[in-house]
Amino acid sequence: MSDLVERLREVVGAAFVLTDPDLRAGYETDWTGRFTGAARCVVRPADTAEVAAVVRACAEAGVPLTVQGGNTGLVGGGVPAGTGDVLLSLTRLTALDDVDPVEAQVTAGAGVTLERLQAHARAAGLDFGVDLAARSAATIGGMVATNAGGIRVLRYGSMREQLTGIEAVLPDGSVVSRLAGLAKDNTGYDLTHLLTGSEGTLAVITRVRVRLVPLPPARAVALVAVDGTEGALSLLAAARSRLAALAALELFYADGLALVRAHGNLSAPFAQEYPVYVVVEAAGATDPTDDLLELLSDCDAVQDATVASDAAGRARLWAYRETHTEAINAAGVPTKLDVCVPLRELPGLVEALPAAVAAAAPEARTIVFGHLGEGNLHVNVLGAGDRAEEVTDAVLKLVADRRGSISSEHGVGRAKARWLGLSRAPQEIAAMRAIKGALDPAGLLNPGVLFP
Ligand code: 2HG
Ligand code: ZN
């Protein structure tokens, strides 16, 4: 055991192999505080060559690796399950190339944060198509590994849609690198997209090449009150057909708003309370405010609305939606379920959730919010205590009954591995296991993640 640690010190430098429990602690517990495990050490390589040497050393020693980016994943995929793994943190892989304005692409190290990539793209007059609340800490490598979604999927798609290439270290320490960013490349299996969403089980992503999108100069945001989930869907349908500049459409409920307001000391958005709220953002070459206002005045489902076009006003309205995660965490350790169903099933699911959760954990309280465009609900259950597994089982079965996915954007991780069979057929799981076995026959990368 100490031989391996010694060898890792030689590879990355002694300062970047953390064995002291106090130094390891921040890496060993996930952002929610729900998932925790002990690593034999945390190793922090600086580049692809060092990652490859670390992986080779662990492979030779037969020691499993847990791979971690910004540690903002919410399904326990980036923290060790037990003891003894090497925790491979990629936050030092921060190289960021110049933006290529002709291809509208850029190559980023796995440890570059989303916020830094966004600022880099914007300085070149472009933007990155994915955005999410954890932008200051979430890393691009982790976001690719989990195929992160966020608030702009309805306009630009998830991480998968942004990728034109990838560099990764395979479990034997060899490096695959496809970073030319070719717009067309039909030369066999698509490794870039195979590794996207593989949750660190097939390879360690070290660099990625992503496409960038035009930076819309004008934006407007509306916070809209509607009378129910059906009303929110009517607003979505209207926005999809009439608002060409539609950039985001997000959902939350009265109880989530109350929690967020208390946590952030935020004023009430409207003089009275409503059951359901939708944030609509429009972005375009010209000011979309009038189009947004017209949409809202024509949509029968709208009960009340407030619109902001300036940056401070837009941020103020977004805060009601974006601070849900931190407000919930401040109230306790949540059981988080990140699910999606076909949109027609969404109102029925929302209605069925409270009774299903109450049957599993009578004392629990459920806060629901999410990305309406994709039918993606974040079901956060507070106070489940030792009934978290029962709550998970009840909610995921409701979702499966409605032909939904048990993991819409956060990944399966450790949290939902047991339930993979609710969303994937036995033949699919067998095919996935065959791929895992071919690339990682010794099961070194992220054991316990994804597969039951
Ligand atoms: C979001 O949409 C994130 O804000 C986090 O995916 C969701 O906290 C959650 O459950
Ligand atoms: Zn989300």
Side-chain angles (χ1 to χ4, degrees):
M1 159 171 165
S2 54
D3 281 358
L4 176 61
V5 171
E6 259 330 296
R7 190 147 170 218
L8 296 176
R9 286 190 175 122
E10 280 161 25
V11 170
V12 302
F16 300 111
V17 179
L18 316 178
T19 51
D20 181 328
D22 289 343
L23 296 178
R24 292 189 336 240
Y27 298 86
E28 289 176 333
T29 298
D30 82 319
W31 193 87
T32 65
R34 181 173 168 207
F35 299 97
T36 185
R40 103 177 32 201
C41 65
V42 175
V43 57
R44 305 184 59 221
D47 57 25
T48 305
E50 287 188 7
V51 173
V54 166
V55 171
R56 241 185 335 264
C58 290
E60 278 163 25
V63 171
L65 286 139
T66 297
V67 191
Q68 188 181 94
N71 200 10
T72 56
L74 300 169
V75 291
V79 294
T83 54
D85 290 15
V86 166
L87 198 159
L88 173 55
S89 165
L90 297 166
T91 52
R92 288 182 68 225
L93 273 71
T94 53
L96 185 54
D97 291 2
D98 289 343
V99 168
D100 178 339
V102 178
E103 300 275 10
Q105 294 185 10
V106 67
T107 299
V112 171
T113 63
L114 172 59
E115 194 167 72
R116 192 170 152 228
L117 179 68
Q118 288 172 334
H120 188 61
R122 287 170 194 166
L126 291 158
D127 201 3
F128 184 58
V130 171
D131 194 15
L132 41 81
R135 58 185 74 81
S136 66
T139 58
I140 296 304
M143 290 174 64
V144 174
T146 56
N147 187 28
I151 57 178
R152 294 203 207 143
V153 172
L154 98 178
R155 175 105 161 222
Y156 299 117
S158 297
M159 281 304 282
R160 189 182 299 286
E161 281 76 35
Q162 321 308 317
L163 283 176
T164 63
I166 210 160
E167 179 185 85
V169 176
L170 298 179
D172 64 358
S174 58
V175 177
V176 288
S177 187
R178 297 197 65 75
L179 294 172
L182 299 176
K184 290 183 149 186
D185 178 19
N186 285 348
T187 52
Y189 299 156
D190 186 338
L191 296 178
T192 300
H193 287 151
L194 175 64
L195 298 186
T196 306
S198 66
E199 302 190 34
T201 61
L202 299 178
V204 181
I205 295 163
T206 51
R207 285 203 292 168
V208 298
R209 183 139 180 106
V210 292
R211 54 173 67 84
L212 301 172
V213 298
L215 179 64
R219 264 177 211 282
V221 174
L223 179 66
V224 188
V226 291
D227 57 4
T229 311
E230 290 279 6
L233 287 176
S234 303
L235 178 59
L236 171 65
R240 274 191 162 143
S241 68
R242 300 194 31 193
L243 190 61
L246 179 64
L249 204 140
E250 299 275 317
L251 171 78
F252 57 91
Y253 290 83
D255 49 1
L257 175 65
L259 193 71
V260 157
R261 283 190 53 208
H263 173 70
N265 213 2
L266 304 179
S267 58
F270 300 110
Q272 74 174 81
E273 287 182 9
Y274 296 94
V276 181
Y277 300 88
V278 178
V279 176
V280 186
E281 183 173 88
T286 55
D287 186 355
T289 308
D290 287 348
D291 290 346
L292 188 52
L293 288 171
E294 202 174 310
L295 170 82
L296 298 176
S297 68
D298 289 356
C299 179
D300 292 342
V302 174
Q303 308 271 299
D304 209 339
T306 170
V307 176
S309 304
D310 63 304
R314 294 192 320 252
R316 190 175 51 79
L317 296 183
W318 264 116
Y320 292 114
R321 159 63 180 88
E322 284 209 315
T323 54
H324 266 69
T325 300
E326 61 184 64
I328 288 166
N329 241 58
V333 176
T335 303
K336 281 186 178 286
L337 299 159
D338 155 49
V339 300
C340 83
V341 289
L343 286 169
R344 287 190 195 291
E345 301 282 352
L346 199 76
L349 175 64
V350 172
E351 215 175 285
L353 278 170
V357 173
E363 307 296 316
R365 139 188 199 212
T366 308
I367 308 286
V368 174
F369 60 99
H371 314 284
L372 189 62
E374 296 79 56
N376 177 185
L377 290 185
H378 293 309
V379 181
N380 278 251
V381 181
L382 280 164
D386 60 3
R387 309 282 298 163
E389 296 277 292
E390 287 80 356
V391 166
T392 303
D393 193 63
V395 173
L396 297 187
K397 280 182 177 152
L398 279 185
V399 169
D401 287 346
R402 289 171 167 75
R403 298 175 294 123
S405 167
I406 63 159
S407 173
S408 187
E409 59 172 6
H410 297 165
V412 174
R414 299 186 196 294
K416 288 174 276 180
R418 233 183 85 191
W419 290 274
L420 184 63
L422 287 178
S423 278
R424 291 300 197 123
Q427 299 86 332
E428 291 179 288
I429 295 176
M432 292 200 283
R433 279 194 189 279
I435 294 168
K436 169 74 173 167
L439 288 179
D440 185 16
L444 285 176
L445 286 187
N446 276 6
V449 169
L450 184 56
F451 293 107

